Amino acid sequence: MDWAAHLVIAPILLPLLTGAALLLIDERRHVLKAGLNVASTIALMLVAIVLLDFANTPTASNTAATSVYLLGNWPAPFGIVLVLDRLAALMLVLTSMLAVAAIVYSLARWHRSGPHFHTLFQLLLMGVNGAFLTGDLFNLFVFFEVMLASSYGLMLHGSGQARVKAGLHYIVVNLAASSLFLIGVAMIYGVTGTLNMADLALRIGAVPASDRMLLDAGAGILGIAFLVKAGMWPLGFWLPTAYNAAAAPVAAIFAILSKVGVYVLLRLSPLLFGVEAGASSGFGDSWLLVGGMATIAFGAIGVLASQAKGRLAGYYILISSGTMLASIGIANVSATAGALYYMVSSTLAISAFFLLIELIDRVQDPSAGVLAITLDAYGEDIEEEEAEEEIGVAIPATLAILGVSFAACGLLLAGLPPLSGFIGKFAILTALLNPEGLTEGGSLSPATWAFVTLLVLSGLAAMISLTRAGIQAFWAPIEGIVPRVLLMEIAPIAFLLSLCVGLTIFGGPVMRYMDQTAQSLHVPQTYIRDVMTAPRVEATAPAAPKVTP
């Protein structure tokens, strides 16, 4: 094995070791703990970028490099395997960039608002990265639980009545989803005798007809667990309230959690239920398409009905997840490629918007509480009054910077040109309206037309809601104030938005990467072969002792 193959385990080991070390440091040493957390997160981002470059390097057969790491040196399917391909590398980079922005933003004040923030943050990264890298369903459950356990603590970080209430609902829903996860895994194992994803892909097609119903039931229960995390309607009712109640940096990193559920469905749907799955081929695709479109409609109605900006961001997550789920249900390479591009852009924009919301709320005069009272009357969460010292300094052109950042988020979330949100939606629409490439003829199904209509209407709803929120924040206040903002609060937002600008400028190379990723997902034979034939590391014989005469 070369050094890059050994580097595959670093996104799991690095946050694990950092989180353990931070747990041993006294909570009052805020500066030391913050420094270690930031250094580890930046190192994680650099490792993820190196792994992305490695995964994108073509091999001698002109295919992408798939790195398989055999934990315990046991071959698949008997041992635990970590698998790095283009999709896993993309998700690692996206997660690490969100983490860097969130942890830097938290240094202004949030990391001191509760115990063990830094440890929980690193363990969350460990669970998320492990879910992206694992090659079997049981360890996917393990990493899911690590991710969820740490997210429970982060969800409650900062206390407060609204946060605790929403946090308890969040915990109950996710515990129920974890129970479904275990039931589904047990049923699949009982039928196939394996939980390795690549081995499952080989065995599902040979499952006898007498066991096919049990297999499909297990896959359906497992899918429900993932759809709860992805936020599909009606399973995602908890998400807007929970994310609105979370602290700003916590909500920013939570933007990736719904994409973990989407990632698993995107990974398993073509791998396990592709053309070689026999009678189970295409299992669940129609449900994903219909459920995804229902989620887009629900999210669009939610953004039009919501007044609080935190709830707006939560409903944008549902629109993003619904778009991804419906694209998976289409089972088209071009649609998947466009959806991957859209996922990266929308996740970055939503994370930046969560951070921006707290700064925009400082623009309004706290004594002018008429609007806040109106929002509470319509069911919005009451923000608890906190007796805190004034945060930050009034940097020049603060309002202009916040206004430009808000406008950029609006363009990205509504999918308007010229930023990356438009490119992602345009790529999906192109795949839907012209699925065979530059050809003429053929008719589109009613479901395809419904998906196209919802994509356009969801963008319109986002534009209307963000325009209304911008007017309320920057124009409506009778006595506006210049908020006091730290550079470490503005910089993470600028970082995330600049990444979206980079996606726009380098749209061609990024779309080629997404297209190659989509092709490898829909034709998973290379993934299966690399996992099942990964060689063990042979032990080296000890050198014979020298015999001196």
Side-chain angles (χ1 to χ4, degrees), residues 49 84 114 146 155 165 203 329 345 500 503:
I49 293 173
L84 176 79
V146 172
M155 181 68 216
K165 181 179 178 181
R203 298 193 186 192
S345 174
C500 294
L503 284 176

Side-chain angles (χ1 to χ4, degrees), residues 220-422:
I221 294 173
L222 191 64
I224 291 175
F226 298 141
L227 290 172
V228 168
K229 200 62 204 169
M232 191 185 84
W233 183 86
L235 304 174
F237 63 92
W238 54 273
L239 193 147
T241 301
Y243 282 42
N244 179 45
V250 173
I253 191 62
F254 274 17
I256 195 64
L257 297 191
S258 62
K259 301 306 181 290
V260 176
V262 172
Y263 162 85
V264 177
L265 292 167
L266 184 59
R267 169 74 71 190
L268 296 183
S269 182
L271 179 64
L272 303 185
F273 304 107
V275 294
E276 298 182 359
S280 296
S281 179
F283 176 81
D285 284 350
S286 58
W287 287 102
L288 289 177
L289 176 59
V290 174
M293 291 192 294
T295 306
I296 297 174
F298 178 70
I301 295 172
V303 299
L304 290 174
S306 298
Q307 298 291 323
K309 289 180 282 295
R311 293 185 67 84
L312 282 178
Y315 282 111
Y316 291 139
I317 290 181
L318 294 184
I319 293 176
S320 175
S321 293
T323 303
M324 289 295 301
L325 293 173
S327 299
I328 297 172
I330 291 292
N332 177 275
V333 173
S334 298
T336 301
L340 287 173
Y341 186 100
Y342 169 80
M343 178 191 67
V344 174
S345 174
S346 63
T347 305
L348 292 172
I350 291 170
S351 183
F353 190 53
F354 272 121
L355 299 179
L356 188 62
I357 288 171
E358 184 180 49
L359 306 186
I360 292 177
D361 286 343
R362 298 179 194 172
V363 175
Q364 296 177 344
D365 187 353
S367 64
V370 178
L371 180 60
I373 294 174
T374 303
L375 298 181
D376 293 337
Y378 283 92
E380 306 297 342
D381 294 325
I382 301 176
E383 294 291 336
E384 62 272 12
E385 297 181 2
E386 299 178 358
E388 297 179 348
E389 60 182 7
E390 206 166 16
I391 302 294
V393 296
I395 63 177
T398 298
L399 287 178
I401 295 173
L402 295 180
V404 170
S405 300
F406 184 85
C409 287
L411 291 175
L412 289 165
L413 295 175
L416 297 177
L419 295 180
S420 56
F422 169 76

Side-chain angles (χ1 to χ4, degrees), residues 142-227:
V142 172
F143 286 119
F144 249 75
E145 290 307 299
V146 172
M147 176 187 75
L148 290 175
S150 53
S151 72
Y152 299 155
L154 291 174
M155 181 68 216
L156 298 172
H157 181 76
S159 69
Q161 180 179 354
R163 193 164 292 135
V164 171
K165 181 179 178 181
L168 291 177
H169 292 168
Y170 173 81
I171 293 172
V172 170
V173 169
N174 282 280
L175 286 177
S178 297
S179 300
L180 293 177
F181 196 147
L182 274 181
I183 294 172
V185 166
M187 294 174 70
I188 292 175
Y189 183 77
V191 173
T192 63
T194 184
L195 292 177
N196 182 279
M197 296 177 188
D199 196 32
L200 274 172
L202 296 175
R203 298 193 186 192
I204 283 181
V207 171
S210 58
D211 293 335
R212 183 69 59 177
M213 185 177 294
L214 186 60
L215 172 67
D216 291 347
I221 294 173
L222 191 64
I224 291 175
F226 298 141
L227 290 172

Side-chain angles (χ1 to χ4, degrees), residues 428-455:
I428 298 175
L429 290 173
T430 301
L432 294 174
L433 297 176
N434 199 9
E436 302 300 329
L438 299 176
T439 59
E440 296 182 359
S443 59
L444 299 177
S445 65
T448 301
W449 280 116
F451 188 14
V452 170
T453 303
L454 286 171
L455 278 178

